[in-house]
Amino acid sequence: QTLDAASRDGAVLGSLRRNRGGIGEFARALARAHVSGTRISWDSVLGAAPARVELPTYAFQRERFWPASLQSTSTDPASLGLAAVEHPLLGAAMSSAETGDVLLTGRVSLTTHPWLADHAVAGVVLLPGTAFVELAIRAAEEVNCNELTELVLENPLALPEQGAIQLQVQVGAADQNGQHPVTIHSRPEDDCDGDTWTRHASGLLATVGTTTTTDAAAKFATWPPPGAQPIPVDDFYTLAAARGYHYGPAFRGLRTAWQHGDELLAEVQLPNDDTNTPHDSNQFRLHPALLDTALHPLITNGASSSGEAPWLPFSWSGVRLHAVGATALRVRLVARVAGEVSVELTEPDGRLVASARSLVTRPVPEDRLLNLGGGAGATFRVDWRALSMNTEATSNAEGWVLLGTGDSAVPRGQAVPTRLDLASLRADLDRGRSAPDVVVLPRSGPGVASDVPNSAMAATADVLEVLRQWLDDDRLTASRLVVLTSGATTTGPGENITDLTCAPVWGLVRSAQTENPGRFLLVDTDDAPASRQVLRAALAAAIEADESQLALREGNALVPRLAHRGVDGPTDSVALDQQGTVLITGGTGTLGGVVARHLVRTHGVRHLVLTSRRGRQSPGAAELAAELSELGAEVTIAACDAADRSALAELLDNIPDEHPLTGVVHAAGVLDDGVVPSLTTQQLERVMTPKVRAAWNLHELTGHLDLAMFVSFSSVAGTLGTGGQANYAAANAFLDALSVRRRADGLAATSLAWGYWEQATGMTQHLDHDSTAARLRRTGLRSISTEQGLAMFDTSVATGEPVLVTAKVDTAALRSAGTGSIPAMLRGLVRAPLRRATTNSSAADSSGLAERLRDCSEAERDRTLRSLVQAEIAEVLGGIGAAEVALDRGFVEIGFDSLTTVELRNRLSRAVGIRLPTTLVFDYPTPRALADYLRERLVPETDDTVVPPPGSAVSPPRHEDESDIAALSVDDLVRLALDDRTP
């Protein structure tokens, strides 16, 4: 109690700090007082009237601002064995000792190069094509070349709003003609695992003779030449924006322009005020913004008119640089053939700066540009990979129990203990039997279901009840429940889903796995004799490898991994008949409206039917209809619940024959979140009905039509499992399975497993988007912008694949989370870090925490565990420091809900190396109580006792949170007295 007061009393601490000589006596007085049971007077130790001193504004945060080590950690290129490259886009260069190739590396982002945000085409921020010219010219200097003989721009480079892009410029050895090949690649900085490089440009560098500038000077002697007709430029950038070119201040340097026969003439300059001048403009050879601006007259000449795709540079040839550091130019562009010009650039006095024998421009479809903004890199498929197993070492069924009376999961020749249901198993535990290691729960739907939606919801509700009972029994904490299905998921192209009714069970259990790592295992089998025979071995291998899902096919064990879809499929968007009708369920909602506008603007759809439960009474429905009509579309908004089969049938019958139904987008859905232990059957049915029953109705009622697209808006929750959304995950897993079934039947189908859209929707508007986005980032996901989402929509539908995950995965966040917290499904995207070897016990992993605590005093144990709890709480809540977490405030008061309590429990389980109960935060409702519980679990018995000095009185009863002061040394007492944390 005395130390507790000392740590909070500024006067006491101030006096102690001023009177260092009295600290030892003070500590001894504290020890004597504690042992004797007497109370100590501050006046007797410090004097009658200690002076108060001001404490820091943020006291006791324990932040270190002095470097722990003064050893050099220089990242200067020279210290890394590289050559420094003084260039705004490049930082270092090196050459190969064997091949002579030269490699230049750099890094670019909107944070380090904010002026690049001023260059956007079709709403996507692109690295200017002129920047590739600049990079190639700078690379030419490394091999003593003075001409960019050729440069073909293969792929535009989109710059992300957050994060950086790594650049590589590679120059090869000279060929027999003395020309050096050059290539330019990039990859996202947060996606540095695997082969993720994209080649943007390739070309040739050469050394040629010096060119005289006399001819150029003569051409520019009279400026502008006689007969040149002025081109108005006052509204140029407004008109350019209407054509898809969005230029900010750094790229608005066109001052005057003229037309002179087949020549376009102009004067351009870089902005010269402090706000708009691009950083390090004098370090470029020819600033990309200035060269890009020099090409703007091509827009005035009709290279791209309103409604056409934007034109971008495609290839350069014969590029020569004669002067560096120009900030203003005279421009002469001479048309050669359609889409091709020659370029001459001079200083205002006519001296030549740069020239290009040829520049070819080509139109680039807007959907491809939008795809660059996040579509292709954020489109994934689920690949199934082989899992090695030892079939000889696990020949018996010891340690596992089968629930149910069927024997379809039992390997022939093996006697496996069975229990009728989970209640029977729990009754065994009541009688004192040990919990089995593995409990297998086989589940299968009826061979032919008369009502697939009802059967699916019933099967899912049945498994949900088992999961709740399983999690409710702490005696099963160390056991693993295996949910076994047959034909409820697919492992690759050409394989059909034969059990639609159990497909949503996979989504349900995936979310349960996210909430409760290590408690459940999903297995799907083909029922082949070979698969049945290896079931036990496959289970052992999956558990050993910490896998959460498994498929058995012809005796082979497979595990799923999310993988980039790649660029092997088509990238053009699906073709829609403009005379046909597209139906969008949930069409008056946020995402439904976004898709409707996109179909009209981009795909030319002219007939839409938008449904929702409230129809035209939905908020914003009238405005949406008016906007679409103004764009030239005929819109019908109907109050129709697609889950009502008769109402949907009537709606479809009313679609006129002259505009037949050609496309369906099923975007309707609702949320009713809750963690698995609290999830009710009513919540399950409420969420599954508008997804499952509506999708099935659409499937059956349109099965006879030749649809160009049948798109279901699914969710990544059904694929990865999202905590607190097991019902939503189940509903979307059904959509994915139905899409596979439709494709197998030769019908159009695409299920898009969306990540989180940053634009608030009707289903997500109640969420705190900042906290939700932060929680998603911790799980490795980022939010999707509207532009990126629409690009993903087009690209994914065009691939012809039945199911694609359309989400943004943050691999950097996954890597920083550590091996133990990377979901198995995402391990294909991130190489797991190697374990760090250490002989320092303080740096050991979580498995050694209990041992380290046993070597500490009780006070140090408390301090360690409370600090751990505070740090994990701060991480989960975000926006606060660990020191700000009050030890005695309730979790609800701090701001925890059911989902964050689950996340905290899982983080603490990984940190301490033991599995913690599901009710952890509810049973121990404050950080202090939780830390005390962890101490009891990790160090259940202690040998620390208070031994009073001979002749002293017996110590009085202590509060449970006090330290054993008498057992501490004087140095320990001093340290505790001056420590800002309560021991």
Side-chain angles (χ1 to χ4, degrees), residues 477 850 854 865 912 914-917 920 924 931-941:
T477 299
R854 279 193 289 270
L865 291 173
V912 302
I914 58 177
R915 189 172 290 169
L916 299 173
L920 179 71
Y924 306 95
D932 291 346
Y933 166 75
L934 294 178
R935 184 192 62 214
E936 294 170 4
R937 285 289 306 273
L938 294 170
V939 192
E941 296 181 1

Side-chain angles (χ1 to χ4, degrees), residues 811-868:
T811 55
L814 290 175
R815 280 193 299 273
S816 64
T819 307
S821 59
I822 300 176
M825 182 75 85
L826 300 179
R827 291 176 192 163
L829 301 177
V830 179
R831 288 195 302 269
L834 296 176
R835 176 182 59 83
R836 181 177 295 278
T838 178
T839 57
N840 184 351
S841 62
S842 65
D845 59 22
S846 59
S847 61
L849 179 60
E851 182 177 350
R852 284 186 283 128
L853 290 176
R854 279 193 289 270
D855 294 335
C856 297
S857 66
E858 186 173 348
E860 191 60 33
R861 290 172 196 157
D862 288 343
R863 181 179 295 104
T864 299
L865 291 173
R866 289 170 187 171
S867 296
L868 170 64

Side-chain angles (χ1 to χ4, degrees), residues 400-420:
W400 66 317
V401 169
L402 180 70
L403 298 183
T405 57
D407 66 348
S408 61
V410 180
R412 285 186 174 86
Q414 295 186 15
V416 179
T418 61
R419 295 294 180 270
L420 181 62

Side-chain angles (χ1 to χ4, degrees), residues 231 236 254 256-258 264-268 292-303 331 333:
I231 299 175
F236 170 77
L254 181 60
T256 56
W258 299 269
L264 285 172
L265 310 174
E267 292 178 344
V268 299
D292 188 273
T293 304
L295 305 181
H296 290 179
L298 294 175
I299 301 176
T300 68
N301 198 39
V331 181
L333 307 173

Side-chain angles (χ1 to χ4, degrees), residues 141-153:
E141 297 176 9
E142 295 293 316
V143 290
N144 297 316
C145 290
N146 62 357
E147 180 184 81
L148 177 56
T149 304
E150 177 184 286
L151 188 70
V152 178
L153 306 182

